C-alpha cells in the first residue's frame, strides 16, 4: 500500500458527493450509512458503479457484511465494530482494512491484527459524530504515526485545509469538509498535503 495509498478519504452517505470526487487523484471513498444494511448496500453498489471504472477505491464504514456483499475494496472498522482480525478473516488477504486508533499501543495492535491503514482521531473538535472522546491534537496523532512506520495514518475529526499543515500524517479523512463542494475540497486538500 505505502505511498500510493490515497491520502484523501471522503466519508459520505451521499451519491452526489461520490460522483463529485470519483476519478480524482489520491482519493478513496468511504461509505458511511447510519440507518441499516439495506441502505448501506444500495449506496455501496451505486458508489462502486461510479468509482470502479475510474479507479477510485470504495471502502465501507463499519459494515463488513455489506462490504463483502457489494464487492467493495475493503472496510474501515471502529472501536465498536468487528475486530480487525475477524474482518480480515471474512474479507480475505487482498481487502483493504482500516482501523480507528487513538494511541500507539492500539495502532501497533491493529496493524498486527491485519489493518493496512489507520484512522486516528478526532484530531480536532467535530460535530459530525456524537459521543467522541476529546480531540487528540497534532502531537498525539504524530505519536501514533511514529509507532507504525510504513503504515498510512489518516487524521480524522475537524479536518480543514488550514489545519492540515500541522499534521504529520499520510493523509486525512473527513465528512463535512466535502459536503458542499466535493471537487473543490479535494483540490484544496491536495494543495496542502505534503
Amino acid at each position: 500500500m505505502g505511498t500510493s495509498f490515497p491520502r484523501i478519504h471522503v466519508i459520505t452517505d451521499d451519491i452526489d458527493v461520490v460522483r463529485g470526487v470519483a476519478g480524482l487523484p489520491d482519493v478513496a471513498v468511504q461509505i458511511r450509512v447510519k440507518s441499516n444494511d439495506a441502505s448501506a448496500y444500495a449506496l455501496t453498489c451505486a458508489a462502486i458503479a461510479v468509482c470502479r471504472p475510474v479507479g477510485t477505491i470504495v471502502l465501507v464504514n463499519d459494515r463488513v457484511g455489506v462490504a463483502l456483499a457489494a464487492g467493495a475494496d475493503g472496510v474501515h472498522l471502529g472501536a465498536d465494530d468487528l475486530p480487525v482480525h475477524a474482518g480480515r478473516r471474512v474479507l480475505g488477504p487482498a481487502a483493504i482494512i482500516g482501523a480507528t486508533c487513538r494511541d500507539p499501543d492500539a495502532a501497533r495492535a491493529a496493524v498486527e491484527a491485519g489493518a493496512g491503514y489507520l484512522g486516528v482521531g478526532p484530531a480536532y473538535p467535530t460535530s459530525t459524530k456524537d459521543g467522541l472522546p476529546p480531540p487528540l491534537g497534532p502531537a498525539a496523532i504524530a505519536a501514533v504515526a511514529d509507532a507504525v512506520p510504513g503504515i498510512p495514518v489518516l487524521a480524522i475529526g475537524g479536518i480543514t485545509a488550514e489545519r492540515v499543515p500541522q499534521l504529520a500524517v499520510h493523509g486525512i479523512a473527513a465528512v463535512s469538509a466535502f459536503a458542499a463542494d466535493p471537487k473543490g475540497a479535494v483540490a484544496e486538500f491536495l494543495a496542502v498535503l505534503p
Side-chain angles (χ1 to χ4, degrees), residues 78-101:
D80 299 329
D81 303 320
L82 275 179
V84 170
H85 67 87
R88 176 64 67 205
R89 190 180 309 137
V90 172
L91 295 174
I96 297 167
I97 296 184
T100 300
C101 299

Side-chain angles (χ1 to χ4, degrees), residues 71-153:
D73 297 294
V75 71
H76 186 91
L77 299 171
D80 299 329
D81 303 320
L82 275 179
V84 170
H85 67 87
R88 176 64 67 205
R89 190 180 309 137
V90 172
L91 295 174
I96 297 167
I97 296 184
T100 300
C101 299
R102 287 179 52 79
D103 62 67
D105 288 343
R108 284 188 285 263
V111 170
E112 277 173 34
Y117 78 93
L118 303 177
V120 183
Y124 300 99
T126 176
S127 58
T128 310
K129 202 172 178 186
D130 296 331
L132 285 172
L136 289 169
I141 290 174
V144 174
D146 289 345
V148 286
I151 299 294
V153 168

Side-chain angles (χ1 to χ4, degrees), residues 31-181:
I31 301 299
R32 184 164 91 185
V33 173
K34 295 185 175 129
S35 55
N36 58 51
D37 279 0
S39 302
Y41 175 75
L43 182 59
T44 302
C45 289
I48 289 169
V50 170
C51 292
R52 193 143 289 157
V54 293
T56 299
I57 288 172
V58 177
L59 304 171
V60 177
N61 191 270
D62 303 347
R63 300 170 187 262
V64 173
V66 168
L68 182 66
D73 297 294
V75 71
H76 186 91
L77 299 171
D80 299 329
D81 303 320
L82 275 179
V84 170
H85 67 87
R88 176 64 67 205
R89 190 180 309 137
V90 172
L91 295 174
I96 297 167
I97 296 184
T100 300
C101 299
R102 287 179 52 79
D103 62 67
D105 288 343
R108 284 188 285 263
V111 170
E112 277 173 34
Y117 78 93
L118 303 177
V120 183
Y124 300 99
T126 176
S127 58
T128 310
K129 202 172 178 186
D130 296 331
L132 285 172
L136 289 169
I141 290 174
V144 174
D146 289 345
V148 286
I151 299 294
V153 168
L154 308 174
I156 183 168
I159 303 294
T160 62
E162 295 73 30
R163 289 169 167 167
V164 166
Q166 305 164 16
L167 297 165
V169 290
H170 176 81
I172 58 96
V175 182
S176 52
F178 298 104
D181 175 13

